[in-house]
Amino acid sequence: MASVTARGCALCTATLLNFAFVFISGADFIRFVSFRAIYHNITGETTICQDSIPWSEALQDTSVLKSLLVDVALLALFTVQHSLLARPPVKQACQSILGSLNRTAYCFTTALALQILMYYWQPVTGAPCLWSVRQTPWSVWFPLLCFTVHVFCWAIVCTILMIFDYPELLGIKQVYYQCSGMGDPLSHKSSQARRFLSHFRHPVCLELVVVLWLLPALSLDRLLLALTMSVYLALAHSLDKQDLAFLCDQLRSKVQLFAEPTLSLDTKEK
């Protein structure tokens, strides 16, 4: 019993530490994608690119090409990690070795790859912006509009993660179920739910695409980041009519669930 308890405590500790690391990495990613990019424009001044340099000269600049090469390598690292570990043969191999910590390890390596990408990312400041809002009064108001939309999108993302069972997405539920002798959490879900989750493991596509592209100024490195992640998100999903029907049923059940307390309260008052 002591060994089982010690093993359970070790698993719970590893999972909670991973949750903290993933949470911090998520906050850093929000700062990296949204607030740092908008900060350069919040006063209406664009300092992230050089519009006076022609494209023909910028694309021959060794510093620009070196920065782009580093950024491509970082994006390749993140994409390969995120895709390779999600392939069924690799998942089965990791599951046989890590057990209930498989999902925890996947989230940890994803957050680690994301931290590496953000830390070593090279801004391309020696090339023109693809677009830049400079005309008054939009040079002040449009960055504020972007900031507001970004905050709204991240609020939606956090809400969706809560609805989509974030303890299971982060590997917390897997460890809890094993320590409780309940098996795999996915085994308790319906076949429709398992099918839906296999097609839709990133429930934040539209909001993230808006955040990636809606900026007062789009630099060359930001174009690379936005285009790569947008294509990856588009290719990572394969929803069909059955998944849509399941999602609509779940939405109706959630609405009814939230409506029941109100109905019961009205009944008591009558």
Side-chain angles (χ1 to χ4, degrees), residues 78-128:
F78 177 79
T79 303
V80 169
Q81 176 277 326
H82 212 56
S83 301
L84 182 63
L85 294 184
R87 296 188 63 83
V90 179
K91 287 176 65 176
Q92 293 174 3
C94 294
Q95 183 69 35
S96 62
I97 297 173
L98 299 173
S100 61
L101 287 177
N102 182 33
R103 186 67 189 178
T104 299
Y106 178 78
C107 293
F108 174 79
T109 54
T110 298
L112 181 61
L114 199 59
Q115 287 285 0
I116 294 173
L117 183 147
M118 293 184 293
Y119 185 81
Y120 291 103
W121 187 261
Q122 299 293 316
V124 178
T125 58

mmCIF file of all heavy atoms in Angstrom, residues 78-128:
data_model
loop_
_atom_site.group_PDB
_atom_site.id
_atom_site.type_symbol
_atom_site.label_atom_id
_atom_site.label_comp_id
_atom_site.label_asym_id
_atom_site.label_seq_id
_atom_site.Cartn_x
_atom_site.Cartn_y
_atom_site.Cartn_z
ATOM 1 N N PHE A 78 8.789 22.637 -33.694
ATOM 2 C CA PHE A 78 7.488 22.577 -33.029
ATOM 3 C C PHE A 78 6.500 21.713 -33.805
ATOM 4 O O PHE A 78 5.771 20.904 -33.222
ATOM 5 C CB PHE A 78 6.930 23.997 -32.868
ATOM 6 C CG PHE A 78 5.558 24.029 -32.264
ATOM 7 C CD1 PHE A 78 5.376 23.874 -30.902
ATOM 8 C CD2 PHE A 78 4.437 24.219 -33.061
ATOM 9 C CE1 PHE A 78 4.108 23.898 -30.343
ATOM 10 C CE2 PHE A 78 3.168 24.247 -32.516
ATOM 11 C CZ PHE A 78 3.008 24.077 -31.147
ATOM 12 N N THR A 79 6.468 21.862 -35.132
ATOM 13 C CA THR A 79 5.520 21.102 -35.943
ATOM 14 C C THR A 79 5.823 19.612 -35.903
ATOM 15 O O THR A 79 4.908 18.794 -35.768
ATOM 16 C CB THR A 79 5.557 21.609 -37.396
ATOM 17 O OG1 THR A 79 5.280 23.014 -37.420
ATOM 18 C CG2 THR A 79 4.527 20.881 -38.246
ATOM 19 N N VAL A 80 7.096 19.251 -36.019
ATOM 20 C CA VAL A 80 7.472 17.834 -35.982
ATOM 21 C C VAL A 80 7.146 17.231 -34.629
ATOM 22 O O VAL A 80 6.592 16.117 -34.547
ATOM 23 C CB VAL A 80 8.969 17.675 -36.309
ATOM 24 C CG1 VAL A 80 9.429 16.248 -36.015
ATOM 25 C CG2 VAL A 80 9.237 18.019 -37.767
ATOM 26 N N GLN A 81 7.471 17.934 -33.554
ATOM 27 C CA GLN A 81 7.150 17.407 -32.217
ATOM 28 C C GLN A 81 5.654 17.228 -32.050
ATOM 29 O O GLN A 81 5.183 16.181 -31.578
ATOM 30 C CB GLN A 81 7.684 18.364 -31.150
ATOM 31 C CG GLN A 81 7.343 17.994 -29.721
ATOM 32 C CD GLN A 81 5.954 18.445 -29.273
ATOM 33 O OE1 GLN A 81 5.469 19.495 -29.698
ATOM 34 N NE2 GLN A 81 5.315 17.659 -28.447
ATOM 35 N N HIS A 82 4.877 18.226 -32.456
ATOM 36 C CA HIS A 82 3.431 18.203 -32.231
ATOM 37 C C HIS A 82 2.741 17.155 -33.098
ATOM 38 O O HIS A 82 1.700 16.613 -32.697
ATOM 39 C CB HIS A 82 2.847 19.589 -32.527
ATOM 40 C CG HIS A 82 1.670 19.941 -31.684
ATOM 41 N ND1 HIS A 82 1.711 19.936 -30.306
ATOM 42 C CD2 HIS A 82 0.406 20.295 -32.018
ATOM 43 C CE1 HIS A 82 0.526 20.275 -29.829
ATOM 44 N NE2 HIS A 82 -0.297 20.487 -30.839
ATOM 45 N N SER A 83 3.312 16.885 -34.261
ATOM 46 C CA SER A 83 2.695 15.921 -35.172
ATOM 47 C C SER A 83 3.200 14.502 -34.938
ATOM 48 O O SER A 83 2.413 13.548 -34.957
ATOM 49 C CB SER A 83 2.971 16.330 -36.627
ATOM 50 O OG SER A 83 2.460 17.613 -36.895
ATOM 51 N N LEU A 84 4.506 14.362 -34.733
ATOM 52 C CA LEU A 84 5.091 13.025 -34.594
ATOM 53 C C LEU A 84 4.550 12.297 -33.374
ATOM 54 O O LEU A 84 4.168 11.120 -33.454
ATOM 55 C CB LEU A 84 6.617 13.135 -34.516
ATOM 56 C CG LEU A 84 7.377 11.811 -34.407
ATOM 57 C CD1 LEU A 84 7.153 10.965 -35.660
ATOM 58 C CD2 LEU A 84 8.862 12.065 -34.204
ATOM 59 N N LEU A 85 4.494 12.989 -32.239
ATOM 60 C CA LEU A 85 4.016 12.346 -31.013
ATOM 61 C C LEU A 85 2.512 12.079 -31.044
ATOM 62 O O LEU A 85 2.006 11.334 -30.198
ATOM 63 C CB LEU A 85 4.362 13.211 -29.796
ATOM 64 C CG LEU A 85 5.849 13.357 -29.486
ATOM 65 C CD1 LEU A 85 6.046 14.147 -28.202
ATOM 66 C CD2 LEU A 85 6.544 12.006 -29.378
ATOM 67 N N ALA A 86 1.811 12.678 -31.992
ATOM 68 C CA ALA A 86 0.374 12.448 -32.093
ATOM 69 C C ALA A 86 0.020 11.307 -33.042
ATOM 70 O O ALA A 86 -1.144 10.919 -33.124
ATOM 71 C CB ALA A 86 -0.331 13.727 -32.555
ATOM 72 N N ARG A 87 1.000 10.765 -33.763
ATOM 73 C CA ARG A 87 0.736 9.656 -34.687
ATOM 74 C C ARG A 87 0.464 8.377 -33.903
ATOM 75 O O ARG A 87 1.125 8.114 -32.886
ATOM 76 C CB ARG A 87 1.899 9.458 -35.650
ATOM 77 C CG ARG A 87 2.110 10.662 -36.565
ATOM 78 C CD ARG A 87 3.137 10.355 -37.642
ATOM 79 N NE ARG A 87 2.670 9.279 -38.524
ATOM 80 C CZ ARG A 87 1.856 9.455 -39.554
ATOM 81 N NH1 ARG A 87 1.381 10.677 -39.821
ATOM 82 N NH2 ARG A 87 1.499 8.448 -40.307
ATOM 83 N N PRO A 88 -0.498 7.574 -34.343
ATOM 84 C CA PRO A 88 -0.910 6.374 -33.596
ATOM 85 C C PRO A 88 0.230 5.436 -33.216
ATOM 86 O O PRO A 88 0.297 5.000 -32.047
ATOM 87 C CB PRO A 88 -1.907 5.701 -34.547
ATOM 88 C CG PRO A 88 -2.481 6.829 -35.336
ATOM 89 C CD PRO A 88 -1.358 7.797 -35.529
ATOM 90 N N PRO A 89 1.184 5.078 -34.122
ATOM 91 C CA PRO A 89 2.260 4.173 -33.690
ATOM 92 C C PRO A 89 3.119 4.746 -32.569
ATOM 93 O O PRO A 89 3.497 4.032 -31.624
ATOM 94 C CB PRO A 89 3.080 3.966 -34.974
ATOM 95 C CG PRO A 89 2.151 4.304 -36.081
ATOM 96 C CD PRO A 89 1.282 5.396 -35.552
ATOM 97 N N VAL A 90 3.429 6.050 -32.676
ATOM 98 C CA VAL A 90 4.237 6.691 -31.644
ATOM 99 C C VAL A 90 3.460 6.794 -30.338
ATOM 100 O O VAL A 90 3.999 6.563 -29.248
ATOM 101 C CB VAL A 90 4.708 8.082 -32.119
ATOM 102 C CG1 VAL A 90 5.544 8.767 -31.036
ATOM 103 C CG2 VAL A 90 5.516 7.965 -33.411
ATOM 104 N N LYS A 91 2.170 7.124 -30.438
ATOM 105 C CA LYS A 91 1.326 7.207 -29.245
ATOM 106 C C LYS A 91 1.242 5.858 -28.531
ATOM 107 O O LYS A 91 1.306 5.791 -27.300
ATOM 108 C CB LYS A 91 -0.073 7.696 -29.617
ATOM 109 C CG LYS A 91 -0.156 9.164 -29.974
ATOM 110 C CD LYS A 91 -1.552 9.556 -30.413
ATOM 111 C CE LYS A 91 -2.536 9.421 -29.280
ATOM 112 N NZ LYS A 91 -3.891 9.905 -29.669
ATOM 113 N N GLN A 92 1.099 4.787 -29.296
ATOM 114 C CA GLN A 92 1.018 3.463 -28.690
ATOM 115 C C GLN A 92 2.325 3.078 -28.016
ATOM 116 O O GLN A 92 2.325 2.498 -26.923
ATOM 117 C CB GLN A 92 0.639 2.433 -29.754
ATOM 118 C CG GLN A 92 -0.768 2.608 -30.309
ATOM 119 C CD GLN A 92 -1.060 1.664 -31.453
ATOM 120 O OE1 GLN A 92 -0.227 0.828 -31.815
ATOM 121 N NE2 GLN A 92 -2.251 1.789 -32.045
ATOM 122 N N ALA A 93 3.446 3.422 -28.672
ATOM 123 C CA ALA A 93 4.745 3.122 -28.074
ATOM 124 C C ALA A 93 4.954 3.913 -26.784
ATOM 125 O O ALA A 93 5.409 3.372 -25.768
ATOM 126 C CB ALA A 93 5.863 3.421 -29.072
ATOM 127 N N CYS A 94 4.606 5.203 -26.813
ATOM 128 C CA CYS A 94 4.736 6.029 -25.603
ATOM 129 C C CYS A 94 3.780 5.569 -24.512
ATOM 130 O O CYS A 94 4.128 5.582 -23.326
ATOM 131 C CB CYS A 94 4.484 7.497 -25.948
ATOM 132 S SG CYS A 94 5.723 8.241 -27.027
ATOM 133 N N GLN A 95 2.580 5.141 -24.903
ATOM 134 C CA GLN A 95 1.603 4.664 -23.932
ATOM 135 C C GLN A 95 2.103 3.412 -23.222
ATOM 136 O O GLN A 95 1.918 3.256 -22.013
ATOM 137 C CB GLN A 95 0.275 4.369 -24.634
ATOM 138 C CG GLN A 95 -0.858 3.937 -23.708
ATOM 139 C CD GLN A 95 -1.338 5.054 -22.807
ATOM 140 O OE1 GLN A 95 -1.354 6.217 -23.223
ATOM 141 N NE2 GLN A 95 -1.724 4.729 -21.589
ATOM 142 N N SER A 96 2.749 2.525 -23.962
ATOM 143 C CA SER A 96 3.275 1.302 -23.352
ATOM 144 C C SER A 96 4.420 1.576 -22.395
ATOM 145 O O SER A 96 4.655 0.820 -21.456
ATOM 146 C CB SER A 96 3.745 0.334 -24.444
ATOM 147 O OG SER A 96 4.809 0.909 -25.198
ATOM 148 N N ILE A 97 5.128 2.664 -22.621
ATOM 149 C CA ILE A 97 6.271 3.005 -21.757
ATOM 150 C C ILE A 97 5.848 3.909 -20.604
ATOM 151 O O ILE A 97 6.212 3.666 -19.440
ATOM 152 C CB ILE A 97 7.371 3.690 -22.588
ATOM 153 C CG1 ILE A 97 7.910 2.738 -23.656
ATOM 154 C CG2 ILE A 97 8.510 4.160 -21.675
ATOM 155 C CD1 ILE A 97 8.877 3.398 -24.630
ATOM 156 N N LEU A 98 5.063 4.936 -20.906
ATOM 157 C CA LEU A 98 4.735 5.962 -19.906
ATOM 158 C C LEU A 98 3.424 5.703 -19.184
ATOM 159 O O LEU A 98 3.203 6.253 -18.099
ATOM 160 C CB LEU A 98 4.675 7.334 -20.580
ATOM 161 C CG LEU A 98 5.969 7.813 -21.244
ATOM 162 C CD1 LEU A 98 5.724 9.101 -22.012
ATOM 163 C CD2 LEU A 98 7.072 8.008 -20.210
ATOM 164 N N GLY A 99 2.539 4.923 -19.765
ATOM 165 C CA GLY A 99 1.262 4.643 -19.120
ATOM 166 C C GLY A 99 0.401 5.891 -19.027
ATOM 167 O O GLY A 99 0.193 6.606 -20.011
ATOM 168 N N SER A 100 -0.079 6.179 -17.836
ATOM 169 C CA SER A 100 -0.977 7.320 -17.637
ATOM 170 C C SER A 100 -0.276 8.663 -17.794
ATOM 171 O O SER A 100 -0.935 9.697 -17.894
ATOM 172 C CB SER A 100 -1.609 7.254 -16.242
ATOM 173 O OG SER A 100 -0.604 7.303 -15.237
ATOM 174 N N LEU A 101 1.056 8.662 -17.827
ATOM 175 C CA LEU A 101 1.805 9.904 -18.008
ATOM 176 C C LEU A 101 2.018 10.238 -19.486
ATOM 177 O O LEU A 101 2.724 11.203 -19.792
ATOM 178 C CB LEU A 101 3.162 9.817 -17.310
ATOM 179 C CG LEU A 101 3.163 9.885 -15.784
ATOM 180 C CD1 LEU A 101 4.574 9.723 -15.253
ATOM 181 C CD2 LEU A 101 2.559 11.193 -15.299
ATOM 182 N N ASN A 102 1.429 9.450 -20.366
ATOM 183 C CA ASN A 102 1.641 9.678 -21.798
ATOM 184 C C ASN A 102 1.164 11.061 -22.221
ATOM 185 O O ASN A 102 1.890 11.818 -22.888
ATOM 186 C CB ASN A 102 0.920 8.594 -22.601
ATOM 187 C CG ASN A 102 1.145 8.753 -24.100
ATOM 188 O OD1 ASN A 102 2.204 9.186 -24.533
ATOM 189 N ND2 ASN A 102 0.141 8.418 -24.885
ATOM 190 N N ARG A 103 -0.059 11.412 -21.851
ATOM 191 C CA ARG A 103 -0.593 12.726 -22.210
ATOM 192 C C ARG A 103 0.172 13.845 -21.519
ATOM 193 O O ARG A 103 0.408 14.911 -22.097
ATOM 194 C CB ARG A 103 -2.080 12.797 -21.854
ATOM 195 C CG ARG A 103 -2.777 14.068 -22.308
ATOM 196 C CD ARG A 103 -2.854 14.163 -23.808
ATOM 197 N NE ARG A 103 -3.338 15.466 -24.253
ATOM 198 C CZ ARG A 103 -3.472 15.824 -25.517
ATOM 199 N NH1 ARG A 103 -3.146 14.972 -26.472
ATOM 200 N NH2 ARG A 103 -3.926 17.021 -25.838
ATOM 201 N N THR A 104 0.589 13.613 -20.288
ATOM 202 C CA THR A 104 1.392 14.599 -19.564
ATOM 203 C C THR A 104 2.704 14.859 -20.288
ATOM 204 O O THR A 104 3.132 16.012 -20.441
ATOM 205 C CB THR A 104 1.664 14.116 -18.133
ATOM 206 O OG1 THR A 104 0.419 13.953 -17.442
ATOM 207 C CG2 THR A 104 2.521 15.106 -17.374
ATOM 208 N N ALA A 105 3.348 13.785 -20.746
ATOM 209 C CA ALA A 105 4.609 13.932 -21.466
ATOM 210 C C ALA A 105 4.412 14.674 -22.781
ATOM 211 O O ALA A 105 5.248 15.491 -23.187
ATOM 212 C CB ALA A 105 5.222 12.559 -21.721
ATOM 213 N N TYR A 106 3.290 14.394 -23.461
ATOM 214 C CA TYR A 106 3.010 15.078 -24.716
ATOM 215 C C TYR A 106 2.837 16.579 -24.480
ATOM 216 O O TYR A 106 3.389 17.398 -25.224
ATOM 217 C CB TYR A 106 1.749 14.488 -25.348
ATOM 218 C CG TYR A 106 1.337 15.162 -26.633
ATOM 219 C CD1 TYR A 106 2.002 14.878 -27.822
ATOM 220 C CD2 TYR A 106 0.294 16.084 -26.663
ATOM 221 C CE1 TYR A 106 1.634 15.495 -29.014
ATOM 222 C CE2 TYR A 106 -0.088 16.703 -27.851
ATOM 223 C CZ TYR A 106 0.590 16.395 -29.016
ATOM 224 O OH TYR A 106 0.227 17.013 -30.185
ATOM 225 N N CYS A 107 2.081 16.947 -23.459
ATOM 226 C CA CYS A 107 1.878 18.370 -23.151
ATOM 227 C C CYS A 107 3.193 19.023 -22.720
ATOM 228 O O CYS A 107 3.460 20.188 -23.070
ATOM 229 C CB CYS A 107 0.822 18.517 -22.063
ATOM 230 S SG CYS A 107 -0.838 18.035 -22.567
ATOM 231 N N PHE A 108 4.022 18.292 -21.975
ATOM 232 C CA PHE A 108 5.303 18.845 -21.525
ATOM 233 C C PHE A 108 6.225 19.115 -22.700
ATOM 234 O O PHE A 108 6.822 20.201 -22.797
ATOM 235 C CB PHE A 108 5.976 17.888 -20.541
ATOM 236 C CG PHE A 108 7.357 18.316 -20.140
ATOM 237 C CD1 PHE A 108 7.545 19.302 -19.185
ATOM 238 C CD2 PHE A 108 8.480 17.740 -20.736
ATOM 239 C CE1 PHE A 108 8.826 19.712 -18.825
ATOM 240 C CE2 PHE A 108 9.754 18.144 -20.382
ATOM 241 C CZ PHE A 108 9.926 19.130 -19.420
ATOM 242 N N THR A 109 6.356 18.153 -23.609
ATOM 243 C CA THR A 109 7.233 18.354 -24.760
ATOM 244 C C THR A 109 6.693 19.447 -25.690
ATOM 245 O O THR A 109 7.473 20.193 -26.295
ATOM 246 C CB THR A 109 7.391 17.041 -25.541
ATOM 247 O OG1 THR A 109 6.100 16.518 -25.883
ATOM 248 C CG2 THR A 109 8.137 16.006 -24.709
ATOM 249 N N THR A 110 5.360 19.558 -25.789
ATOM 250 C CA THR A 110 4.771 20.636 -26.588
ATOM 251 C C THR A 110 5.109 21.997 -25.982
ATOM 252 O O THR A 110 5.515 22.934 -26.691
ATOM 253 C CB THR A 110 3.249 20.468 -26.680
ATOM 254 O OG1 THR A 110 2.944 19.237 -27.332
ATOM 255 C CG2 THR A 110 2.624 21.615 -27.458
ATOM 256 N N ALA A 111 4.932 22.121 -24.667
ATOM 257 C CA ALA A 111 5.251 23.383 -23.999
ATOM 258 C C ALA A 111 6.744 23.688 -24.086
ATOM 259 O O ALA A 111 7.140 24.848 -24.257
ATOM 260 C CB ALA A 111 4.802 23.318 -22.533
ATOM 261 N N LEU A 112 7.587 22.653 -23.994
ATOM 262 C CA LEU A 112 9.028 22.860 -24.094
ATOM 263 C C LEU A 112 9.407 23.334 -25.493
ATOM 264 O O LEU A 112 10.214 24.271 -25.639
ATOM 265 C CB LEU A 112 9.756 21.556 -23.758
ATOM 266 C CG LEU A 112 11.285 21.614 -23.791
ATOM 267 C CD1 LEU A 112 11.801 22.616 -22.767
ATOM 268 C CD2 LEU A 112 11.882 20.228 -23.545
ATOM 269 N N ALA A 113 8.832 22.688 -26.523
ATOM 270 C CA ALA A 113 9.107 23.130 -27.899
ATOM 271 C C ALA A 113 8.626 24.559 -28.114
ATOM 272 O O ALA A 113 9.280 25.355 -28.807
ATOM 273 C CB ALA A 113 8.433 22.179 -28.883
ATOM 274 N N LEU A 114 7.505 24.907 -27.507
ATOM 275 C CA LEU A 114 6.983 26.267 -27.633
ATOM 276 C C LEU A 114 7.890 27.273 -26.932
ATOM 277 O O LEU A 114 8.126 28.380 -27.448
ATOM 278 C CB LEU A 114 5.569 26.323 -27.049
ATOM 279 C CG LEU A 114 4.676 27.495 -27.455
ATOM 280 C CD1 LEU A 114 4.487 27.517 -28.968
ATOM 281 C CD2 LEU A 114 3.332 27.391 -26.750
ATOM 282 N N GLN A 115 8.409 26.907 -25.780
ATOM 283 C CA GLN A 115 9.339 27.790 -25.069
ATOM 284 C C GLN A 115 10.613 28.006 -25.877
ATOM 285 O O GLN A 115 11.135 29.126 -25.943
ATOM 286 C CB GLN A 115 9.674 27.191 -23.695
ATOM 287 C CG GLN A 115 8.561 27.279 -22.672
ATOM 288 C CD GLN A 115 8.396 28.681 -22.105
ATOM 289 O OE1 GLN A 115 9.116 29.614 -22.471
ATOM 290 N NE2 GLN A 115 7.449 28.848 -21.210
ATOM 291 N N ILE A 116 11.108 26.946 -26.496
ATOM 292 C CA ILE A 116 12.302 27.076 -27.335
ATOM 293 C C ILE A 116 12.018 27.992 -28.513
ATOM 294 O O ILE A 116 12.835 28.856 -28.872
ATOM 295 C CB ILE A 116 12.769 25.685 -27.818
ATOM 296 C CG1 ILE A 116 13.249 24.855 -26.626
ATOM 297 C CG2 ILE A 116 13.882 25.810 -28.855
ATOM 298 C CD1 ILE A 116 13.577 23.412 -26.965
ATOM 299 N N LEU A 117 10.851 27.829 -29.135
ATOM 300 C CA LEU A 117 10.488 28.676 -30.270
ATOM 301 C C LEU A 117 10.432 30.139 -29.854
ATOM 302 O O LEU A 117 10.966 31.013 -30.559
ATOM 303 C CB LEU A 117 9.141 28.216 -30.828
ATOM 304 C CG LEU A 117 8.613 28.933 -32.076
ATOM 305 C CD1 LEU A 117 7.813 27.963 -32.946
ATOM 306 C CD2 LEU A 117 7.717 30.118 -31.718
ATOM 307 N N MET A 118 9.789 30.422 -28.734
ATOM 308 C CA MET A 118 9.638 31.810 -28.305
ATOM 309 C C MET A 118 10.968 32.415 -27.873
ATOM 310 O O MET A 118 11.234 33.604 -28.112
ATOM 311 C CB MET A 118 8.615 31.890 -27.162
ATOM 312 C CG MET A 118 7.210 31.554 -27.575
ATOM 313 S SD MET A 118 5.991 31.748 -26.248
ATOM 314 C CE MET A 118 6.503 30.444 -25.115
ATOM 315 N N TYR A 119 11.829 31.629 -27.230
ATOM 316 C CA TYR A 119 13.093 32.158 -26.704
ATOM 317 C C TYR A 119 14.081 32.478 -27.825
ATOM 318 O O TYR A 119 14.783 33.495 -27.785
ATOM 319 C CB TYR A 119 13.705 31.156 -25.729
ATOM 320 C CG TYR A 119 14.946 31.653 -25.044
ATOM 321 C CD1 TYR A 119 14.861 32.501 -23.938
ATOM 322 C CD2 TYR A 119 16.208 31.286 -25.505
ATOM 323 C CE1 TYR A 119 16.004 32.965 -23.308
ATOM 324 C CE2 TYR A 119 17.357 31.744 -24.883
ATOM 325 C CZ TYR A 119 17.251 32.584 -23.787
ATOM 326 O OH TYR A 119 18.381 33.045 -23.168
ATOM 327 N N TYR A 120 14.121 31.615 -28.843
ATOM 328 C CA TYR A 120 15.116 31.781 -29.906
ATOM 329 C C TYR A 120 14.535 32.431 -31.164
ATOM 330 O O TYR A 120 15.237 32.532 -32.171
ATOM 331 C CB TYR A 120 15.721 30.415 -30.274
ATOM 332 C CG TYR A 120 16.592 29.844 -29.188
ATOM 333 C CD1 TYR A 120 16.138 28.829 -28.363
ATOM 334 C CD2 TYR A 120 17.887 30.330 -28.981
ATOM 335 C CE1 TYR A 120 16.933 28.295 -27.362
ATOM 336 C CE2 TYR A 120 18.689 29.815 -27.981
ATOM 337 C CZ TYR A 120 18.215 28.803 -27.174
ATOM 338 O OH TYR A 120 19.004 28.275 -26.176
ATOM 339 N N TRP A 121 13.280 32.859 -31.112
ATOM 340 C CA TRP A 121 12.661 33.470 -32.289
ATOM 341 C C TRP A 121 13.409 34.740 -32.685
ATOM 342 O O TRP A 121 13.752 35.573 -31.844
ATOM 343 C CB TRP A 121 11.203 33.799 -32.003
ATOM 344 C CG TRP A 121 10.452 34.283 -33.202
ATOM 345 C CD1 TRP A 121 10.164 35.567 -33.541
ATOM 346 C CD2 TRP A 121 9.899 33.468 -34.242
ATOM 347 N NE1 TRP A 121 9.461 35.615 -34.717
ATOM 348 C CE2 TRP A 121 9.274 34.338 -35.176
ATOM 349 C CE3 TRP A 121 9.855 32.084 -34.468
ATOM 350 C CZ2 TRP A 121 8.631 33.870 -36.301
ATOM 351 C CZ3 TRP A 121 9.210 31.621 -35.595
ATOM 352 C CH2 TRP A 121 8.605 32.513 -36.500
ATOM 353 N N GLN A 122 13.658 34.888 -34.000
ATOM 354 C CA GLN A 122 14.420 36.024 -34.513
ATOM 355 C C GLN A 122 13.500 36.981 -35.261
ATOM 356 O O GLN A 122 13.037 36.663 -36.365
ATOM 357 C CB GLN A 122 15.516 35.514 -35.458
ATOM 358 C CG GLN A 122 16.524 34.593 -34.815
ATOM 359 C CD GLN A 122 17.384 35.312 -33.796
ATOM 360 O OE1 GLN A 122 17.864 36.432 -34.034
ATOM 361 N NE2 GLN A 122 17.571 34.683 -32.645
ATOM 362 N N PRO A 123 13.204 38.152 -34.707
ATOM 363 C CA PRO A 123 12.407 39.140 -35.454
ATOM 364 C C PRO A 123 13.176 39.631 -36.684
ATOM 365 O O PRO A 123 14.391 39.835 -36.631
ATOM 366 C CB PRO A 123 12.208 40.270 -34.439
ATOM 367 C CG PRO A 123 12.511 39.669 -33.104
ATOM 368 C CD PRO A 123 13.520 38.604 -33.343
ATOM 369 N N VAL A 124 12.454 39.803 -37.778
ATOM 370 C CA VAL A 124 13.065 40.307 -39.009
ATOM 371 C C VAL A 124 12.806 41.810 -39.072
ATOM 372 O O VAL A 124 11.734 42.259 -39.473
ATOM 373 C CB VAL A 124 12.477 39.600 -40.248
ATOM 374 C CG1 VAL A 124 13.096 40.167 -41.528
ATOM 375 C CG2 VAL A 124 12.726 38.094 -40.162
ATOM 376 N N THR A 125 13.794 42.579 -38.643
ATOM 377 C CA THR A 125 13.648 44.043 -38.584
ATOM 378 C C THR A 125 14.272 44.752 -39.773
ATOM 379 O O THR A 125 14.152 45.971 -39.888
ATOM 380 C CB THR A 125 14.279 44.575 -37.286
ATOM 381 O OG1 THR A 125 15.669 44.198 -37.251
ATOM 382 C CG2 THR A 125 13.576 43.998 -36.067
ATOM 383 N N GLY A 126 14.935 43.991 -40.636
ATOM 384 C CA GLY A 126 15.609 44.622 -41.766
ATOM 385 C C GLY A 126 14.841 44.554 -43.058
ATOM 386 O O GLY A 126 15.426 44.775 -44.132
ATOM 387 N N ALA A 127 13.559 44.251 -42.990
ATOM 388 C CA ALA A 127 12.724 44.152 -44.194
ATOM 389 C C ALA A 127 11.470 44.984 -44.005
ATOM 390 O O ALA A 127 11.080 45.298 -42.876
ATOM 391 C CB ALA A 127 12.368 42.690 -44.467
ATOM 392 N N PRO A 128 10.796 45.348 -45.092
ATOM 393 C CA PRO A 128 9.550 46.124 -44.961
ATOM 394 C C PRO A 128 8.431 45.284 -44.348
ATOM 395 O O PRO A 128 8.469 44.056 -44.358
ATOM 396 C CB PRO A 128 9.211 46.506 -46.408
ATOM 397 C CG PRO A 128 10.436 46.236 -47.195
ATOM 398 C CD PRO A 128 11.174 45.146 -46.493
#
